[in-house]
Amino acid sequence: MSYQVLARKWRPRSFREMVGQTHVLKALINALDSQRLHHAYLFTGTRGVGKTTIARIIAKCLNCETGISSIPCGQCSVCREIDEGRFVDLIEVDAASRTKVEDTRELLDNVQYAPSRGRFKVYLIDEVHMLSSHSFNALLKTLEEPPPHVKFLLATTDPQKLPVTILSRCLQFALKSMPPERVVEHLTHVLGAEGIPFESDALWLLGRAADGSMRDAMSLTDQAIAFGEGRVLAADVRAMLGTLDHGQVYGVLQALLEGDARAMLEAVRQLAEQGPDWSGVLAELLNVLHRVAIAQALPEAVDNGQGDRERVLALAQALPAEDVQFYYQMGLIGRRDLPLAPDPRGGFEMVLLRMLAFRPADVGGAPGRPLKDQGIRSATADSPSDPVAETDSAQSPAVSAAVSGESSAMAAPAFAEPIEPVSPPEPRLPAGAPDLPWEEPSQAAGALVSKSAAMLVGGMATAPVAEKTERAPESAVSDQPSPPARASLACERSTAPAADRAPERMPAPVTGEEPPPADDDYYEVDAEEVDVEAYAYLDAFPVEEPLPAKPEPEAEPAVAPATGLAAEWLELFQRLRLAGMTANIAANCTLVKAEGDHWVLHLDPAQAALFNSTQQRRLNEALNQHHGRTLKLDIELRKPEQETPAQAAARRRAERQRQAEASIQDDPLIRQLIQQFAAVIRDGTIEPLNT
């Protein structure tokens, strides 16, 4: 008896023997057991996942002599004939070889006849997507309303090519690809039943090489048995498939983990002995890194599809997450650039060396606390109930230095962090000052107004400033609240009801020898206008004389009006009728010399970027054509001393603009609108009529 390959010998003959596809089998079993049978079924999926096998099992279930059920007997003549492929009422059609409409019509001519032996005449059309459009059209009517004794079973690997009219007439079942775990499990059962020794790693290699197809896995197993002389060994399978030893990829990653360049290059040398595809090696490395990243995020999500789940979990524990992401990104870029390398192995080595050289630095020596103290104190976090009284016992050194007039080097700012803007602190007058029209301040806040605050809110330019060496009385220093206290006091005053507060005015700084300023000099302060942070910092430093305002630079004198040759050039420029860049060059020139046929022009150096020999030649040709003789033209880059055509045009435009604005300003109707309705003439909206 001839040898039968494993893929045919171990083809399932019932639903119980099927591997995987539970979602399809459940629907079919329930339909058969409940006699809810559709007239057309469509099975889709990749090659070798069981489409034709399921169709044949359905044909046995429908025609078994024991009756219609999901469990055919497998012993009757019908079941045996279907298994052997000689049942007359199971018509298997290869649509790839019978694509013409004539073939389909010949097939449908026999649909009306009753089955010869079974209950149903079953048409199994494989690779149905290969039919032509005319064949599909010929099949539509029969597929929609076939005779009761006819069932259609369609199978295809490319359902996207089927017309929607076909899809709408069928029950569609999408078969899934076989995962490597399922393939290895089935191969273990088959090889155990066949009595063939094998290694588990070899089965994982076959499972991955099958790429989701159980038939491919069985065929590769047949080949591996022949290659290994009756045994399925990992080394033989690896040599047969020409695949990479998965353990060598882990050797490279282990060398990267340890930062050992020698071990990494040795692992590359061992890889080179097998003559691998270096792009494939890099792809395998990226695949492992991807699984390591998944293990770090969700360990239970790592599958054992490659038989290395434990090694992946171990790497996930050893490699930092940032290293994994870095290596993966480096590998992606290196795989893209690998075809550009002079040598594929050298390109692969450079990718690994780049990973090793630019790996994330060790963060073990990073500081465990902030490098700079934030300056948050308990007094700042917990607001005291009486900030003014508290500042009497703990005086801020910054405020003392500011009031006593010490140098700025000794007066540090009172706050390490900025203060949120609040209402301005209320100034206090020294003892003996005349009564002012404002609310009586609290007893603890009676102190001298700081010079910086007076400059900030009391007329900085006009108020007299005391000498820096002048010191305040001791009583003023002791009664002066600290900046935090003044800020808190200002907050309390700003949140008080408006009816409880009288209008306040800020006085200018006074001394004991000067009379108090008049009421007109008072400045009423809005709470939103004062920056308390700047207020506090100004109080902490001595007051300095304001710098005098820098005088604005005077406008440069206008260019002298054109006279003599320059005036003649203005008139000549209008008659030359130049255009483009040549006209721009001529408009910024002035004529300085015209001795016979030798002319000299001065060009504004600002136009030097546009000037070249071509422009000079074109301008010379225009002058020759205008005068009717040949002139020798020289153009020098010098600032024109008299008005150029461009400057004259600008002057005329400015004069027309001034005249237009003056005419609007002097118009009686416009003046009436301004006086009666407070109308405003918007700048830049007036244009001369004649431009």
Side-chain angles (χ1 to χ4, degrees):
M1 182 178 179
S2 62
Y3 174 74
Q4 192 175 21
V5 298
L6 294 178
R8 294 184 60 186
K9 182 179 180 180
W10 288 90
R11 181 190 291 269
R13 289 174 171 80
S14 65
F15 290 137
R16 294 192 305 269
E17 297 177 4
M18 286 290 299
V19 178
Q21 315 304 344
T22 308
H23 63 293
V24 175
L25 300 180
K26 180 179 180 181
L28 294 177
I29 290 172
N30 293 335
L32 289 168
D33 291 341
S34 61
Q35 305 294 316
R36 299 180 63 88
L37 304 176
H38 201 271
H39 60 268
Y41 295 87
L42 174 63
F43 301 102
T44 65
T46 187
R47 76 272 180 264
V49 293
K51 301 184 295 296
T52 305
T53 299
I54 291 178
R56 291 178 179 177
I57 295 175
I58 292 177
K60 286 199 297 184
C61 294
L62 293 174
N63 293 288
C64 182
E65 294 178 357
T66 59
I68 300 176
S69 67
S70 61
I71 306 176
C73 68
Q75 303 296 328
C76 64
S77 60
V78 173
C79 293
R80 291 198 305 270
E81 289 177 5
I82 292 177
D83 290 337
E84 295 171 2
R86 54 185 181 88
F87 185 62
V88 66
D89 290 327
L90 175 59
I91 299 99
E92 295 192 23
V93 180
D94 180 17
S97 60
R98 303 186 64 180
T99 61
K100 297 181 181 180
V101 65
E102 292 81 3
D103 299 328
T104 305
R105 288 172 180 171
E106 180 183 355
L107 182 69
L108 297 177
D109 287 342
N110 297 322
V111 170
Q112 57 184 336
Y113 301 112
S116 301
R117 293 192 56 196
R119 298 184 187 89
F120 297 95
K121 182 180 289 188
V122 181
Y123 286 88
L124 174 55
I125 306 178
D126 203 2
E127 301 299 333
V128 67
H129 67 276
M130 299 296 291
L131 293 178
S132 64
S133 58
H134 296 291
S135 298
F136 281 124
N137 293 332
L139 187 63
L140 285 178
K141 188 61 179 176
T142 306
L143 188 64
E144 183 178 5
E145 297 179 356
H149 59 268
V150 173
K151 301 295 181 183
F152 285 97
L153 305 178
L154 312 181
T156 178
T157 57
D158 197 357
Q160 288 78 14
K161 293 183 179 180
L162 295 180
V164 293
T165 52
I166 295 292
L167 295 176
S168 65
R169 288 166 167 80
C170 303
L171 289 183
Q172 184 174 350
F173 296 94
L175 278 68
K176 301 178 181 179
S177 298
M178 295 293 176
E181 296 92 341
R182 187 66 55 82
V183 174
V184 171
E185 178 183 352
H186 186 62
L187 291 180
T188 303
H189 169 70
V190 169
L191 293 178
E194 293 287 333
I196 298 175
F198 63 90
E199 292 180 353
S200 178
D201 291 345
L203 299 187
W204 281 107
L205 291 173
L206 294 173
R208 289 194 298 270
D211 194 20
S213 172
M214 185 63 75
R215 183 173 60 234
D216 289 2
M218 301 294 285
S219 300
L220 289 173
T221 304
D222 260 328
Q223 184 179 355
I225 294 173
F227 189 89
E229 299 179 353
R231 296 181 301 174
V232 182
L233 304 179
D236 295 338
V237 172
R238 191 174 295 112
M240 179 190 75
L241 299 176
T243 57
L244 175 68
D245 184 2
H246 207 60
Q248 292 178 314
V249 175
Y250 287 97
V252 173
L253 286 176
Q254 187 65 31
L256 280 175
L257 174 62
E258 298 174 357
D260 190 349
R262 181 184 300 275
M264 186 177 65
L265 294 178
E266 178 63 23
V268 173
R269 188 191 63 79
Q270 295 177 4
L271 284 171
E273 293 178 354
Q274 304 178 13
D277 176 20
W278 295 105
S279 179
V281 176
L282 199 52
E284 188 68 22
L285 184 66
L286 292 174
N287 183 36
V288 174
L289 289 172
H290 167 247
R291 300 180 67 218
V292 169
I294 292 178
Q296 291 177 340
L298 192 63
E300 56 270 20
V302 180
D303 58 11
N304 198 26
Q306 299 181 6
D308 56 351
R309 186 175 187 274
E310 298 301 326
R311 302 184 73 172
V312 169
L313 293 176
L315 269 179
Q317 293 291 333
L319 273 174
E322 58 269 18
D323 286 19
V324 175
Q325 298 296 329
F326 171 75
Y327 293 153
Y328 190 84
Q329 188 65 26
M330 278 288 189
L332 283 180
I333 298 174
R335 193 181 182 198
R336 181 196 65 188
D337 298 340
L338 198 59
L340 304 178
D343 175 56
R345 175 182 174 179
F348 180 76
E349 289 179 345
M350 282 301 298
V351 173
L352 298 180
L353 292 174
R354 193 179 304 128
M355 292 179 180
L356 191 61
F358 295 100
R359 62 184 299 179
D362 185 15
V363 296
R369 59 181 182 84
L371 298 178
K372 182 179 179 182
D373 189 8
Q374 300 298 321
I376 301 178
R377 298 172 299 181
S378 58
T380 308
D382 301 326
S383 178
S385 58
D386 191 358
V388 178
E390 182 180 305
T391 53
D392 290 341
S393 59
Q395 180 62 33
S396 172
V399 177
S400 302
V403 177
S404 60
E406 295 179 3
S407 63
S408 60
M410 298 176 59
F415 298 107
E417 288 186 344
I419 306 174
E420 297 182 0
V422 294
S423 301
E426 184 180 4
R428 299 289 180 255
L429 293 180
D435 294 337
L436 297 176
W438 58 342
E439 185 181 3
E440 184 66 19
S442 59
Q443 179 179 0
L448 180 64
V449 179
S450 64
K451 305 169 188 177
S452 58
M455 291 181 61
L456 182 63
V457 298
M460 186 177 297
T462 57
V465 182
E467 295 294 335
K468 290 194 292 184
T469 57
E470 180 181 352
R471 294 181 177 272
E474 294 297 334
S475 59
V477 174
S478 60
D479 295 336
Q480 180 70 16
S482 63
R486 290 202 305 273
S488 302
L489 182 61
C491 292
E492 292 181 1
R493 294 185 58 84
S494 62
T495 55
D500 298 338
R501 290 187 291 135
E504 301 180 0
R505 295 181 181 272
M506 299 293 293
V510 296
T511 61
E513 295 145 2
E514 295 178 351
D519 291 346
D520 295 339
D521 294 334
Y522 290 164
Y523 177 77
E524 184 173 357
V525 180
D526 189 359
E528 297 179 359
E529 296 179 359
V530 180
D531 186 356
V532 176
E533 179 184 356
Y535 198 138
Y537 274 83
L538 286 174
D539 280 352
F541 292 89
V543 180
E544 297 182 357
E545 295 288 345
L547 296 176
K550 183 178 180 180
E552 297 182 359
E554 298 181 0
E556 296 182 0
V559 181
T563 59
L565 293 175
E568 294 178 7
W569 178 253
L570 294 180
E571 299 177 0
L572 179 60
F573 174 77
Q574 302 293 337
R575 297 195 294 270
L576 290 178
R577 298 187 178 278
L578 300 172
M581 195 175 298
T582 307
N584 183 74
I585 295 297
N588 289 276
C589 289
T590 183
L591 183 61
V592 297
K593 181 179 180 181
E595 297 179 355
D597 294 339
H598 183 210
W599 286 29
V600 178
L601 296 177
H602 282 181
L603 174 62
D604 189 352
Q607 306 294 325
L610 304 178
F611 175 68
N612 52 39
S613 58
T614 302
Q615 306 303 330
Q616 181 174 351
R617 177 178 54 80
R618 292 177 179 176
L619 181 56
N620 199 349
E621 291 175 353
L623 290 173
N624 294 344
Q625 184 178 1
H626 178 75
H627 289 88
R629 68 180 192 274
T630 303
L631 300 178
K632 180 184 178 183
L633 179 64
D634 291 334
I635 299 179
E636 301 177 357
L637 294 176
R638 291 187 182 181
K639 187 73 172 178
E641 298 179 356
Q642 297 190 34
E643 200 173 44
T644 63
Q647 293 171 340
R651 174 176 52 79
R652 288 192 293 269
R653 287 194 300 269
E655 290 177 357
R656 287 196 298 271
Q657 182 68 28
R658 285 194 295 269
Q659 292 173 3
E661 293 177 357
S663 64
I664 294 296
Q665 296 286 351
D666 297 338
D667 186 89
L669 180 59
I670 300 298
R671 296 172 65 88
Q672 183 179 2
L673 291 174
I674 294 176
Q675 293 175 0
Q676 295 184 2
F677 300 102
V680 177
I681 300 175
R682 297 176 61 184
D683 296 338
T685 59
I686 301 175
E687 296 183 1
L689 293 178
N690 183 13
T691 57

